[in-house]
Amino acid sequence: MIGQTADTPQVNAADLGSAGTLGIKPIAVPVTRLTKTEIRARVRAYITLTKPRIVELLLVTTVPTMFLAAGRLPGLWLTLVVVVGGALAAGAANAFNCYIDRDIDQLMKRTSRRALPTSTVEPRNALFFGVVLTAVSLALMGAFTNWLATALTAAAIAYYDLVYTMWLKRTTPQNTVWGGICGALPVLIGWAAVTGGLDVRAWLLFAVVFLWQPPHFYALAIKFKDDYARAGIPMLPVVASTRRVGLETVVYSWLTVAASLALWPFGMTPLYGVTALGTGVALIVEAHRLYGRARRGEPIKPMRLFHWSTTYLTLVFVAVLVDALIQAR
């Protein structure tokens, strides 16, 4: 044999199979098995990467838009595909966001307990998780909707992570305003999935969500102003006075209500109009309350506006859904 001489001892398979023959002790390789509790904790960690509460709010705007676009009950299968595909796409965008922001998340009290800052999930695993969610969501949308809805889904993920997270968030106090584009895109995605196109009503609903986001997130940014400052994020409350933030909150609240009422003449029933008007007045009053306290130098309670703005958007889009059902009768 090559490499052997007459003096080289022969070793056969039987010798190798017996540890005692050659005097070699077998090496025990420890096998680490996760307990059920650890598995559940790991699953929860991956779920938190998708930020389920944000995903839920996006779906609240998407499904009613689909009903309005259809003019009747949209197909159950199409609705399910858009809901699942949209949720996966939003989850993917949020997972990428957690991966990109892991350096600043560990500096902020509000985010320091997330999966990446606590090392519950490794960064490369979070990145891979986002890639998988993206691939599945786009595959679903591409196979069962149309090219426009699929392209808008891909654009929403790319805009949120490449434009907002990597650039706007870290460089300009207008990040909340222009970051609102990706938050409003699910409305267009839902409409496009049903009709294959977009019309004025789709753009008006897009405007409602886009203009609603500054009042909503300015309130949150006021609450966690010190957190953002510690991380070096130039949110408007960090770089401007609370009075300035309050004024912009008022302006965008008025614009949000105006956009919602602009939809009324486009075939909407009085039920929608009354709901949009009533909830809109309440939103404006809350925004003025925040601004008034800021102007007088009094302590403000920004989370009142934050919570009410969530309720406002939900009620307006529930009214869209009910309006579509009424007209479909």
Side-chain angles (χ1 to χ4, degrees), residues 100-108 111 169-170 231-233:
I100 296 167
D101 276 352
R102 65 190 186 280
D103 60 328
I104 60 176
D105 279 349
Q106 62 186 347
L107 302 176
M108 301 172 60
T111 58
K169 183 176 181 178
R170 297 173 182 245
I233 302 301

Side-chain angles (χ1 to χ4, degrees), residues 106-276:
Q106 62 186 347
L107 302 176
M108 301 172 60
K109 292 181 180 179
R110 184 172 66 93
T111 58
S112 61
R113 297 178 64 85
R114 287 179 176 173
L116 292 180
T118 58
S119 298
T120 307
V121 176
E122 292 296 321
R124 64 179 181 180
N125 293 342
L127 182 61
F128 180 73
F129 182 57
V131 170
V132 171
L133 292 182
T134 299
V136 175
S137 66
L138 295 182
L140 278 174
M141 298 297 289
F144 300 107
T145 62
N146 53 65
W147 72 267
L148 180 57
T150 305
L152 288 171
T153 302
I157 297 172
Y159 189 95
Y160 183 65
D161 293 306
L162 301 179
V163 179
Y164 172 71
T165 304
M166 295 184 68
W167 177 40
L168 294 173
K169 183 176 181 178
R170 297 173 182 245
T171 59
T172 173
Q174 291 301 307
N175 51 24
T176 301
V177 176
W178 298 111
I181 291 176
C182 48
L185 277 175
V187 170
L188 300 185
I189 293 168
W191 194 282
V194 172
T195 67
L198 301 171
D199 71 12
V200 65
R201 291 176 297 170
W203 287 108
L204 285 172
L205 289 172
F206 173 89
V208 171
V209 182
F210 173 76
L211 295 167
W212 163 87
Q213 287 179 95
H216 180 70
F217 286 107
Y218 281 163
L220 190 68
I222 292 173
K223 170 71 173 179
F224 296 103
K225 173 183 175 180
D226 293 339
D227 252 6
Y228 286 115
R230 188 180 301 111
I233 302 301
M235 303 297 285
L236 188 63
V238 174
V239 301
S241 66
T242 306
R243 179 172 179 174
R244 162 73 183 281
V245 179
L247 179 59
E248 287 203 20
T249 298
V250 167
V251 170
Y252 280 109
S253 295
W254 276 95
L255 290 174
T256 300
V257 176
S260 69
L261 293 176
L263 180 64
W264 192 354
F266 289 91
M268 306 299 287
T269 69
L271 172 66
Y272 169 81
V274 171
T275 302

Side-chain angles (χ1 to χ4, degrees), residues 59 62-63 65-67 69-70 72-86 140-147 149-150 189-196:
L59 296 180
T62 304
V63 174
T65 298
M66 294 181 68
F67 274 68
R72 60 186 187 282
L73 293 177
L76 178 60
W77 175 248
L78 179 63
T79 304
L80 182 63
V81 166
V82 173
V83 167
V84 174
L140 278 174
M141 298 297 289
F144 300 107
T145 62
N146 53 65
W147 72 267
T150 305
I189 293 168
W191 194 282
V194 172
T195 67

